[in-house]
């Protein structure tokens, strides 16, 4: 303590050393001590957390432990939860109480997890720094003047400061992997279709995917094993997804025979020199562990950001049309007529980044522009997928930096939206191709964490987890924690 | 690229103040200017992506599974009367 893995906590619960209530209280104390500094949680009902923990202890006594029995997990404010508010960190969802749990929330509950609060995020997951949240920015535990990354910034900060041992995030263009990289934790975006999107507030439906953020590779695997699987309630959840042994993959200790692709498009001028060094050193370590590093090319990478910033806003503008102030959400005072009600409620409820994306999407889908932008972007997306398919004929897995730069300062990139968009350069192609991607810590740049990204073929999360587990076992990066938070919570 | 921000805002049903429109106009032009690079990519004969894994859309039986939850579903609405959503008068 305080930095314990889910497996550690699980062992202590299983051998009767502690209880779920004790564990929950310990993390609640840490949240009470540190959340005012970090703003990682935007909603927390401590009594409800303790009630879930007590129920878990009772279940264990009567029936034995389920897969995540008594383990505290924080969830991003994008997941619909029946207990308490779901806001997606937007003012437009003021007063919204979800009438049902997201499928993944139901799965976590069925596995015995104790759900802890709602974590901060960019409004509607649109952002890379957590600065667009209606609840104010979240801060990076490694340097509280800096952003934790986004959009799952609150989940990342919570894990990095041990306010919870793990959290759920979502990833549309890097929103799990980039904040994981910038806060020195591990995060997995599963293959598109592996995890149900039902009850996850939609941003870009062909890209969104939920996944775990935790202190190590195995903890990510434990959570993904629990939340994945076909859901008839989500037509894009794939029913014949190849099953994999999530935990066995994490026992891998070497990389003998593993072919790792190193794409030249991901090692470019303009990226931070220390980030590049850390990732190059990580690849050297992989060679020592028996891997073969193969230079590859993903030639359409340069178009990924452009394709993404057509496709994601287009889908967002359609998805966010549901916020009409009729069925739920904020309504303006004294609307003159229906049009005034729609336009003013949406002006008041949405923040500026969300408006920018809705307008971008409305433009690229509008009459006369659809073919030139949206359809063209979806064709370029096919080319990006084909790059990966060809690469995976040669290699088992691809390794890249997760982010070209370490965490930047709050406010540093808010003036120019395009500069902010360009910071997603290494994560976006993975979403466009629907592939699994994982970020894990691999070093530091000026005392700020650097992330190593693993990209696997569709449905081969096991290959990604195995490579990451072997690297983690051979290095000490996952055991580094920000000093300011590496103290016992209740005592501060 | 010249973008009529007010028109796009109306398509999006978002009121923009003049100040907002003045700020968003150049930003949108900048973003669209950037994504313009897509036009240089040769996509002759390339199919647009519909689903990342080309999965077929599944069918399910047409059975009601969630029952009548009107009151719960309407609990978050800004204005409800007798189970109906209330909006400003549409027809004079």
């Amino acid at each position: 303590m305080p930095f314990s893995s889910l497996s550690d906590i699980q062992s202590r619960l299983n051998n009767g050393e502690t209880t779920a209530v004790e564990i929950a209280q310990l993390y609640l104390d840490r949240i009470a001590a540190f959340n005012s500094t970090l703003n990682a949680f935007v909603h927390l009902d401590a009594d409800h957390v303790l009630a879930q923990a007590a129920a878990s202890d009772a279940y264990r006594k009567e029936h034995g432990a389920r897969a995540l029995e008594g383990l505290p997990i924080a969830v991003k404010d994008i997941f619909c939860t029946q207990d308490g508010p779901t806001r997606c960190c937007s003012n437009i969802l003021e007063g919204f109480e979800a009438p049902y749990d997201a499928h993944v929330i139901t799965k976590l509950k069925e596995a015995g997890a104790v759900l802890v609060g709602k974590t901060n995020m960019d409004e509607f997951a649109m952002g890379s720094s957590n600065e667009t949240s209606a609840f104010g920015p979240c801060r990076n535990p490694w340097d509280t003047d800096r952003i934790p990354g986004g959009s799952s910034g609150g989940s990342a900060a919570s894990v990095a400061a041990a306010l919870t041992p793990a959290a759920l995030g979502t990833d549309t263009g890097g929103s799990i992997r980039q904040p994981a990289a910038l806060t020195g934790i591990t995060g997995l975006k599963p293959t598109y279709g592996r995890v149900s999107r039902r009850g996850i507030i939609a941003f870009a439906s062909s890209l969104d995917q939920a996944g775990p953020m935790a202190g190590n590779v195995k903890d990510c695997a434990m959570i993904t094993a629990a939340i994945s699987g076909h859901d008839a309630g989500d037509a894009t959840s794939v029913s014949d997804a190849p099953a994999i042994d999530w935990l066995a993959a994490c026992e891998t200790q070497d990389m003998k025979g593993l072919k790792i692709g190193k794409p030249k498009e991901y090692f470019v001028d303009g990226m931070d020199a220390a980030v590049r060094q850390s990732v190059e050193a990580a690849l050297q370590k992989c060679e020592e562990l028996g891997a073969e590093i193969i230079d590859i090319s993903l030639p359409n990478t340069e178009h990924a950001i452009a394709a993404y910033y057509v496709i994601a806003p287009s889908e967002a503008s359609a998805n966010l049309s549901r916020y009409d102030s009729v069925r739920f959400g904020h309504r303006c005072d004294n609307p003159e007529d229906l049009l005034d009600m729609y336009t003013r409620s949406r002006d008041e409820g949405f923040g500026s980044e969300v408006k920018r994306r809705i307008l971008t999407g409305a433009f690229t889908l509008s009459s006369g522009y659809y073919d030139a932008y949206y359809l063209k972007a979806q064709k370029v997306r096919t080319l990006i997928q084909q790059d990966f398919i060809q690469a995976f004929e040669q290699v088992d897995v691809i390794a890249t930096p997760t982010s070209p730069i370490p965490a930047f300062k709050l406010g540093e990139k808010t003036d120019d939206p395009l500069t902010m968009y360009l910071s997603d350069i290494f994560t976006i192609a993975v979403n466009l191709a629907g592939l699994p991607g994982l970020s894990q810590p691999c070093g530091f740049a000026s005392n700020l964490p650097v992330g190593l990204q693993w990209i696997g073929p569709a449905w081969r999360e096991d290959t990604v987890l195995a490579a990451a587990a072997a690297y983690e076992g051979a290095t000490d990066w996952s055991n580094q924690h920000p000093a300011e938070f590496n103290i016992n919570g209740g005592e501060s | 690229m010249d973008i009529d921000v007010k028109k796009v805002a109306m398509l999006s049903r978002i009121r923009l103040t003049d100040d907002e429109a003045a700020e968003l106009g150049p930003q949108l032009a900048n973003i669209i200017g950037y994504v313009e690079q897509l036009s240089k990519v040769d996509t002759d004969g390339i199919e647009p992506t519909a689903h990342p894994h080309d999965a077929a859309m599944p069918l399910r039986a047409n059975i009601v599974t969630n029952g009548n939850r009107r009151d719960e579903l309407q609990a978050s609405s800004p204005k409800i009367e007798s189970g109906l959503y209330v909006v400003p008068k549409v027809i004079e």
Side-chain angles (χ1 to χ4, degrees):
Chain A
M1 282 299 176
F3 285 90
S4 300
S5 66
L6 289 182
S7 346
D8 289 346
I9 299 170
Q10 192 174 49
S11 311
R12 279 187 284 136
L13 286 167
N14 286 349
N15 65 27
E17 258 177 73
T18 187
T19 64
V21 169
E22 266 180 25
I23 294 291
Q25 189 60 58
L26 190 143
Y27 285 105
L28 287 171
D29 288 348
R30 289 186 63 82
I31 296 170
F34 296 122
N35 195 50
S36 58
T37 309
L38 296 173
N39 199 26
F41 285 84
V42 296
H43 174 75
L44 182 72
D45 178 348
D47 290 340
H48 181 57
V49 175
L50 290 170
Q52 292 175 72
S56 165
D57 284 331
Y59 186 97
R60 175 188 293 274
K61 219 169 169 179
E62 199 168 334
H63 307 287
R66 294 164 287 182
L68 301 173
E69 195 67 62
L71 301 178
I73 298 177
V75 305
K76 188 177 180 179
D77 198 27
I78 199 167
F79 295 97
C80 285
T81 48
Q82 270 182 311
D83 324 306
T86 299
R87 290 280 300 269
C88 225
C89 286
S90 177
N91 285 324
I92 209 150
L93 278 170
E94 172 192 296
F96 178 64
E97 303 254 350
Y100 63 94
D101 279 334
H103 185 72
V104 293
I105 298 294
T106 305
K107 294 276 244 181
L108 285 180
K109 285 181 174 174
E110 285 171 0
V114 173
L115 302 180
V116 184
K118 294 308 250 313
T119 57
N120 206 347
M121 57 185 281
D122 283 294
E123 183 181 2
F124 283 104
M126 297 175 189
S128 310
S129 66
N130 210 126
E131 288 169 288
T132 72
S133 167
F135 297 103
C138 173
R139 288 165 185 274
N140 192 319
W142 291 91
D143 177 349
T144 53
D145 290 333
R146 291 175 189 270
I147 56 102
S151 67
S152 312
S155 288
S158 178
V159 175
L163 305 191
T164 54
L168 275 195
T170 58
D171 191 315
T172 303
S175 284
I176 287 174
R177 290 160 289 151
Q178 183 256 22
L182 270 41
T183 58
I185 63 166
T186 303
L188 171 69
K189 182 201 92 75
T191 306
Y192 182 81
R194 176 75 84 180
V195 176
S196 167
R197 295 184 297 106
R198 177 159 57 101
I200 300 172
I201 294 176
F203 163 13
S205 307
S206 77
L207 302 163
D208 297 343
Q209 191 66 183
M213 306 173 81
N216 63 55
V217 175
K218 188 182 172 192
D219 287 2
C220 285
M222 281 169 68
I223 295 174
T224 320
I227 64 172
S228 58
H230 177 243
D231 169 23
D234 170 9
T236 62
S237 136
V238 173
S239 57
D240 54 356
I244 55 175
D245 190 337
W246 297 93
L247 297 182
C250 303
E251 302 302 320
T252 312
Q253 285 172 6
D254 65 47
M255 296 188 177
K256 285 197 183 76
L258 187 74
K259 289 180 178 166
I260 301 175
K262 182 188 176 197
K264 65 174 186 214
E265 292 82 4
Y266 286 70
F267 295 83
V268 291
D269 292 341
M271 65 190 287
D272 183 275
V275 167
R276 185 178 186 142
Q277 269 168 16
S278 297
V279 176
E280 302 266 12
L283 286 173
Q284 237 166 42
K285 188 78 200 174
C286 294
E287 254 182 321
E288 286 168 29
L289 292 167
E292 186 187 346
I293 311 295
I294 299 170
D295 289 319
I296 60 168
S297 173
L298 300 165
N300 289 290
T301 301
E302 60 172 316
H303 307 301
I305 290 181
Y308 178 88
Y309 278 99
V310 172
I311 294 165
S314 295
E315 294 184 11
S317 77
N319 274 324
L320 272 62
S321 65
R322 67 177 56 116
Y323 302 101
D324 57 4
S325 84
V326 174
R327 289 157 300 160
F328 39 72
H330 169 77
R331 181 181 295 187
C332 64
D333 290 332
N334 307 315
E336 282 170 29
D337 54 27
L338 201 57
L339 189 64
D340 181 51
M341 183 188 81
Y342 292 148
T343 57
R344 214 146 43 85
S345 300
R346 285 163 68 80
D347 179 32
E348 291 170 7
F350 291 133
S352 57
E353 180 59 28
V354 174
K355 285 179 195 167
R356 207 148 37 230
R357 304 245 187 150
I358 292 175
L359 264 53
T360 306
F363 175 76
T364 51
L365 290 178
S366 63
S367 172
Y369 296 105
Y370 177 90
D371 284 2
Y373 293 99
Y374 187 72
L375 200 66
K376 184 75 181 180
Q378 291 287 33
K379 288 179 181 172
V380 172
R381 181 178 185 179
T382 304
L383 292 174
I384 290 167
Q385 283 179 19
Q386 288 175 353
D387 280 358
F388 280 108
I389 290 170
Q390 277 163 21
F392 286 124
E393 285 169 5
Q394 250 189 298
V395 299
D396 302 307
V397 69
I398 293 170
T400 77
T402 309
S403 164
I405 46 168
F408 46 90
K409 291 206 160 147
L410 269 85
E412 198 179 311
K413 289 184 190 284
T414 39
D415 289 343
D416 180 5
L418 196 55
T419 315
M420 185 77 88
Y421 296 175
L422 296 175
S423 68
D424 301 333
I425 185 162
F426 296 152
T427 47
I428 270 176
V430 172
N431 299 79
L432 291 171
L435 304 177
L438 178 146
S439 180
Q440 70 180 151
C442 72
F444 289 90
S446 324
N447 299 317
L448 296 166
V450 174
L452 168 67
Q453 175 174 243
W454 295 99
I455 304 168
W459 313 115
R460 296 312 302 267
E461 284 90 344
D462 51 347
T463 309
V464 167
L465 290 166
Y471 178 74
E472 180 184 270
T475 57
D476 201 34
W477 303 115
S478 290
N479 300 319
Q480 309 295 315
H481 305 293
E484 199 186 328
F485 300 92
N486 203 356
I487 52 170
N488 287 326
E491 298 160 22
S492 71
Chain B
M1 165 64 67
D2 208 21
I3 296 171
D4 184 348
V5 182
K6 289 270 186 178
K7 183 191 159 200
V8 179
M10 188 43 70
L11 288 174
S12 311
R13 295 292 183 268
I14 296 176
R15 180 195 67 168
L16 288 188
T17 60
D18 290 340
D19 284 352
E20 279 180 304
E23 198 192 336
L24 275 165
Q27 288 176 343
L28 274 190
N30 208 10
I31 293 164
I32 297 300
Y34 177 79
V35 303
E36 218 49 56
Q37 63 169 280
L38 293 173
S39 65
K40 296 194 205 105
V41 186
D42 180 4
T43 53
D44 278 357
I46 301 294
E47 287 293 314
T49 298
H51 183 289
H53 309 306
D54 217 9
M57 278 291 127
L59 296 173
R60 63 169 169 76
N62 190 14
I63 302 167
V64 176
T65 53
N66 50 2
N68 180 0
R69 299 180 60 194
R70 188 181 76 177
D71 292 348
E72 272 171 276
L73 291 166
Q74 292 189 331
S76 289
S77 173
K79 207 167 180 190
I80 291 290
E81 271 174 39
S82 316
L84 302 171
Y85 294 100
V86 180
V87 297
K89 195 154 81 176
V90 180
I91 301 167
E92 291 299 328

